[in-house]
Amino acid sequence: MYRAPVEEIAFTLKHVAGLKPALDAGIFGELGEDLVDAILAEAGRFATEEVAPLYKIGDEQGAVLNGAAVTTPPGWKELYRRWVDGGWNALSAPQEFGGQALPTMLGVAALEMWNSAAMAFGIGPTLTMGAVEALDKHASPALKAKYLEKLVSGEWMGTMNLTEPQAGSDLAALRARAEPTGDGTYRIFGQKIFITYGEHDFTDNIIHLVLARLPDAPAGTRGLSLFLVPKFLVGDDGALGARNDVFCSGLEHKLGIHASPTCTMIYGDGFEGMVPGAIGWLIGEENKGLACMFTMMNNARLAVGMQGVAVAETATQKAIAYANDRRQGKAASYDGDGMAPIVHHPDVQRNLLTMKALTQIARAISYSCAHAIDVARVSDGGEATHWQERANLLTPLAKAFSTDVGVEVASLGLQVHGGMGFIEETGAAALYRDARIAPIYEGTNGIQAIDLVARKLPLAGGEHVHGYIAELKAIANQVRTSNLGGFGRTADGLDRALDDLGQATRFLQGLLADGRSDEALAGATPYLRLISLAAGGAYLARGALADQDRIALCRFFAENLLGEAGALKERVIGGAESLAAAGKTLISA
């Protein structure tokens, strides 16, 4: 059973990602460590005692579609109500609409715990929080007044409707259309697929944010507008009115996250005899919908990164517990009677320490991204620009690396369980099944790597990333000058990895400057892992400098795993030509 690692989360927030210096400097007003600790402790209790016990029934029974109505597994609707009553949906939302306006760092820390306890539960509120941010930044005052308070409280939930059958990740191919009616509303027509919590029984209204095209809109993504389309129309007094012309026509039968309803949504088909056309309201400006949606998408990408961290944490806990209980063979380090617990075997230890280290560095990267978002929001001028650029740089790392880690760690956890991991009884397989979607949705990890190289490396004329690398090198130098013998060759490993990162960065920036973008993008995925491992090693070192009990894990990572950085650099610098040549053999005439 999952137990929220509240102390580990608090340590990473405060001493690795930067929350404690920010609190000490007063940049979050009167927020102090006592309140932070109290929030984390209660979130941990709720995740451990309320959410985690319902994970198994959610995985086994899943969401069910009857007609156009979706029923969630037994106990889940009541769980959501208790979660909302606890005020968790409003944690980081704006105070103007009933939110608590706490830092994003606390929001993502709590999000980790919900997703560790049951990823299929945690994903639903994630989208509502993203919808709140998109509406707060882009919607008209009238729309904010009508919808935001109930979305912030969690009385209603929100969704994100992008993908269509023919489009996949290519939003330029979207066909859903919006027709103005002349009274300020629009009629929406089209089909959207893979819509998470598009229909459910948690709330009595669902607020859909939908990308669609206006008549005569420009082709491609420049012609997309964003619309608010409620399941039930809402009167000026806030009361629910008639059903809108939108419904769920099917649920996907998925590898994992079975309790999360993944819906095909139909707009404007004349549901139950209605006048065809779902009624919607424009958010932001016409043909500027993608910019509005990306406010929600960036929020969702960090949240999905937390899902990777979350599954990795649960898988690690489960594997360590199993390895201490399961007995098999002899081990030199075991002096007890009979067979040794498998945790004494070096290869099992290697797997468990790899799981633990990867989980911690993914958490550190994701929390550092949240910290950058928070500081950017409370700063101005050049300081705000710097921290927004840092958030932009770290977002693809938080999303892609963390979700890759979720799959990798869940797979290692299954391996530690041996044959018992491959069957459903232990629950290790369920975590692996759940984790596998996260590298795919909210922009595949390949798209995140492209974004990192093509859009984030050029930030500040290409200098921001080098400033970041310099900060990481300063941590390596602190290790070298600390004279703490337990670090072993950690400083050497960090220096090599960061030098490899610097070389790969300059190489890719040179290709981009020369207009050789295809060659640069050939190295994008290994580059994303390279920068993540190098940064992660430095973050582990920062934590170990603050708490010497962490030195052993930091050294293990530096001396056993960080050497991958050199191979990744070679893939970035020397792999494009062979990739292009071999790739031609895959293309049919």
Side-chain angles (χ1 to χ4, degrees), residues 368-369 371-395 456 459-460 463-472 539 542:
S368 296
C369 181
H371 175 65
I373 292 170
D374 285 330
V375 179
R377 283 177 174 167
V378 298
S379 303
D380 51 31
E383 188 79 357
T385 299
H386 168 82
W387 284 105
Q388 187 58 57
E389 289 176 347
R390 179 61 50 83
N392 292 343
L393 176 68
L394 293 181
T395 294
K456 305 307 168 56
L459 289 170
E463 289 303 312
H464 186 89
V465 65
H466 292 291
Y468 180 58
I469 295 170
E471 293 173 25
L472 301 176
Y539 288 142
R542 180 182 284 167

Side-chain angles (χ1 to χ4, degrees), residues 262-279:
T262 303
C263 305
T264 297
M265 303 299 297
I266 306 297
Y267 291 84
D269 202 45
F271 178 62
E272 294 184 344
M274 298 176 185
V275 175
I279 299 173

Side-chain angles (χ1 to χ4, degrees), residues 192-248:
K192 298 288 183 177
I193 63 171
F194 303 152
I195 308 306
T196 300
Y197 277 86
E199 175 62 31
H200 55 80
D201 57 1
F202 282 4
T203 60
D204 58 5
N205 205 8
I206 304 170
I207 311 305
H208 304 290
L209 270 58
V210 185
L211 281 179
R213 296 185 184 280
L214 291 164
D216 302 321
T221 57
R222 294 182 302 112
L224 296 173
S225 299
L226 184 63
F227 299 89
L228 183 153
V229 184
K231 176 181 175 180
F232 285 93
L233 301 178
V234 180
D236 292 337
D237 60 355
L240 297 186
R243 175 70 187 260
N244 208 350
D245 187 13
V246 52
F247 70 97
C248 172

Side-chain angles (χ1 to χ4, degrees), residues 289-365:
L290 201 56
C292 301
M293 183 61 84
F294 264 103
T295 297
M296 190 175 186
M297 282 285 285
N298 283 331
N299 177 295
R301 284 173 174 172
L302 176 55
V304 170
M306 294 316 306
Q307 291 178 342
V309 176
V311 174
E313 173 63 38
T314 305
T316 300
Q317 288 189 23
K318 186 178 288 291
I320 290 174
Y322 183 82
N324 277 279
D325 183 63
R326 169 69 167 160
R327 294 173 177 268
Q328 189 169 340
K330 302 292 184 181
S333 66
Y334 180 63
D335 56 8
D337 296 329
M339 293 187 293
I342 64 172
V343 73
H344 285 269
H345 296 304
D347 190 61
V348 174
Q349 292 178 349
R350 182 187 307 278
N351 282 333
L352 293 173
L353 289 169
T354 299
M355 295 169 71
K356 193 170 183 179
L358 290 176
T359 301
Q360 288 194 16
I361 67 175
R363 178 183 287 122
I365 288 170

Side-chain angles (χ1 to χ4, degrees), residues 4-218:
V6 174
E7 290 185 4
E8 179 65 36
I9 287 171
F11 180 88
T12 306
L13 284 172
K14 294 176 187 178
H15 301 289
V16 180
L19 180 58
K20 182 170 172 50
L23 293 176
D24 291 345
I27 72 170
F28 298 129
E30 297 181 0
L31 179 65
E33 283 194 65
D34 288 347
L35 181 56
V36 167
D37 291 341
I39 291 169
L40 294 177
E42 178 56 20
R45 184 208 66 77
F46 192 94
T48 301
E49 299 178 7
E50 306 265 359
V51 184
L54 290 179
Y55 173 78
K56 188 174 179 63
I57 193 171
D59 180 60
E60 291 178 346
Q61 297 198 21
V64 177
L65 179 66
N66 292 301
V70 170
T71 302
T72 53
W76 278 56
K77 179 179 179 179
E78 293 76 16
L79 170 65
Y80 177 77
R81 180 47 51 195
R82 295 194 299 274
W83 184 84
V84 166
D85 289 345
W88 295 111
N89 199 71
L91 201 64
S92 300
Q95 287 182 311
E96 180 184 357
F97 301 101
Q100 300 171 47
L102 290 168
T104 301
M105 295 180 83
L106 285 178
V108 297
L111 199 60
E112 178 191 327
M113 292 186 256
W114 316 138
N115 280 282
S116 282
M119 181 172 158
F121 177 80
I123 189 176
T126 294
L127 294 167
T128 303
M129 296 170 191
V132 166
E133 187 167 0
L135 291 175
D136 185 46
K137 287 189 176 180
H138 302 289
S140 67
L143 287 180
K144 291 180 184 182
K146 183 172 285 189
Y147 292 98
L148 269 180
E149 185 175 340
K150 291 187 177 180
L151 284 169
V152 165
S153 71
E155 182 177 343
W156 296 343
M157 286 177 68
T159 72
M160 179 167 57
N161 286 239
L162 286 79
T163 308
E164 298 174 10
Q166 78 289 342
S169 297
D170 185 3
L171 299 183
L174 295 182
R175 296 175 184 164
R177 70 185 196 277
E179 298 179 357
T181 63
D183 63 359
T185 65
Y186 298 78
R187 292 278 181 172
I188 313 298
F189 301 86
Q191 181 185 38
K192 298 288 183 177
I193 63 171
F194 303 152
I195 308 306
T196 300
Y197 277 86
E199 175 62 31
H200 55 80
D201 57 1
F202 282 4
T203 60
D204 58 5
N205 205 8
I206 304 170
I207 311 305
H208 304 290
L209 270 58
V210 185
L211 281 179
R213 296 185 184 280
L214 291 164
D216 302 321

